[in-house]
Amino acid sequence: MDIKKIILTTALLSIATAGETTALAAKPQSSVAKITHVKVTKHKVTGHTTAKSHVVLLKLKNNQKTSATANKHGNFTLSVKKGNLTKLKFKIKVSKTGLKSRTYTHKVKSTAQVAALSRPHESTESPTPSGKPTTAQPSTPSSTPSAPSKPTTYTKQQIDQQRKIFEDALLAYLQIGNEAPQLTKAQQEQTDKVNKLLQTQMDKLKALSNAMTATTTDADEKRRTIAEARAELDAVNKLCDEAISSEEYQSAIRNEAIYRKKTEAAYNRADAESNKLSLMQPGYSFDFGNL
């Protein structure tokens, strides 16, 4: 296993502890998750980001500042006592130790924009080119009726139905967290072994790098030090290869991949239903506080 393979392997495998499978095949996360599903009401803002991250509402009038901690699913709720958030421009900043923070800016739509969104579409007819007389063509019956145009207004029943679809999809996504694959004793032991070997691998790689860059006047001593460091690294690499290729560890990775694929599908469904509801009922807010 060469240095490039060591780094790649380490990037793909993260620590699994306390009997829970973590993101074994995930890419390393350098920043908190994007701030999504933001819903704004008069005195409350809800949304979704990295679990257990610190969320702050900034740049409000009267120097108001409020903060909260995202729950284990990454959902958060920020509340204020003064002002109407739907009419204010503000920022949401999310941070977590070891990760880069993110900022989300809420912009207030102008009255003209709101009116344009709610205004029914008007059909227009193309003008007849000058100098070319038009001849009325007899209409022919169509075997398939034309599709009705999309309504610009929705009934309460339609909105309630879409709200129920969205909330069911969102709750289904959140509940997947309780279905995380449980490792058997053998899988847990092998996973712990791999993670310890990966850490040792990094230590040995660092020792080799230090030996190669060390400043010394004794060339023979430096060669011996480098040879010993390289031999130790090769030995750890061999043990790591054997542990990673074990059936217990590979089974744990397969189960984690299935779980992540299921989670992604559920999230995409909830996101799609949320977008539909936002078109039908702008400003709708799902209360994460009771989750």
Side-chain angles (χ1 to χ4, degrees):
M1 180 182 286
D2 57 22
I3 293 176
K4 188 176 293 185
K5 187 175 180 181
I6 294 171
I7 297 174
L8 177 61
T9 303
T10 306
L12 292 175
L13 305 172
S14 59
I15 297 175
T17 58
E20 297 179 355
T21 306
T22 56
L24 297 176
K27 294 181 180 179
Q29 184 178 3
S30 60
S31 62
V32 294
K34 289 184 179 180
I35 306 169
T36 60
H37 293 81
V38 176
K39 305 296 180 183
V40 183
T41 59
K42 186 174 181 180
H43 296 305
K44 187 181 295 184
V45 181
T46 60
H48 182 272
T49 183
T50 298
K52 303 298 182 181
S53 57
H54 184 60
V55 188
V56 182
L57 194 62
L58 302 170
K59 294 193 175 181
L60 292 170
K61 289 184 177 180
N62 303 321
N63 294 320
Q64 285 191 83
K65 183 178 179 181
T66 183
S67 63
T69 300
N71 66 14
K72 64 181 180 180
H73 302 297
N75 305 313
F76 64 84
T77 299
L78 296 163
S79 301
V80 297
K81 296 181 179 180
K82 298 179 181 179
N84 185 344
L85 293 175
T86 62
K87 297 181 180 181
L88 296 176
K89 179 181 179 180
F90 59 82
K91 292 186 176 182
I92 301 174
K93 183 176 182 180
V94 179
S95 58
K96 189 172 183 179
T97 304
L99 301 176
K100 293 181 181 179
S101 61
R102 284 185 185 270
T103 302
Y104 172 91
T105 302
H106 174 261
K107 297 181 180 180
V108 182
K109 292 181 179 180
S110 65
T111 305
Q113 287 177 311
V114 174
L117 290 174
S118 60
R119 187 183 303 125
H121 295 290
E122 297 179 0
S123 60
T124 58
E125 296 182 359
S126 301
T128 302
S130 58
K132 293 184 179 180
T134 59
T135 305
Q137 299 293 328
S139 60
T140 57
S142 174
S143 58
T144 56
S146 59
S149 59
K150 186 176 180 180
T152 55
T153 58
Y154 302 89
T155 65
K156 182 178 182 301
Q157 182 179 3
Q158 289 175 312
I159 294 174
D160 289 344
Q161 182 179 9
Q162 182 57 36
R163 184 188 302 116
K164 180 67 166 59
I165 293 173
F166 161 63
E167 292 179 355
D168 287 346
L170 179 59
L171 290 175
Y173 163 67
L174 298 177
Q175 289 170 358
I176 289 179
N178 299 325
E179 302 175 12
Q182 298 298 314
L183 297 181
T184 64
K185 183 179 180 180
Q187 287 175 329
Q188 186 64 55
E189 290 175 350
Q190 197 66 16
T191 299
D192 292 341
K193 180 180 179 180
V194 167
N195 288 311
K196 288 179 181 179
L197 284 170
L198 288 173
Q199 182 58 54
T200 304
Q201 203 174 55
M202 291 297 99
D203 294 340
K204 297 300 182 183
L205 179 61
K206 184 177 180 180
L208 175 58
S209 176
N210 291 339
M212 295 175 70
T213 57
T215 302
T216 177
T217 56
D218 192 334
D220 291 338
E221 178 64 24
K222 182 173 183 178
R223 279 194 293 270
R224 283 195 298 271
T225 303
I226 292 175
E228 290 174 359
R230 182 173 285 116
E232 291 179 358
L233 177 61
D234 289 343
V236 174
N237 288 344
K238 182 178 180 181
L239 292 175
C240 194
D241 284 340
E242 293 173 352
I244 288 175
S245 61
S246 70
E247 176 56 31
E248 290 83 1
Y249 189 76
Q250 289 300 315
S251 177
I253 287 183
R254 287 193 296 270
N255 291 339
E256 180 71 12
I258 293 172
Y259 170 70
R260 286 188 167 276
K261 186 175 182 180
K262 184 177 180 181
T263 301
E264 182 179 1
Y267 175 85
N268 290 338
R269 176 173 175 253
D271 187 51
E273 299 302 340
S274 172
N275 291 335
K276 291 178 185 178
L277 183 60
S278 296
L279 291 175
M280 299 173 70
Q281 187 181 20
Y284 170 72
S285 174
F286 182 85
D287 189 2
F288 290 102
N290 295 326
L291 298 180

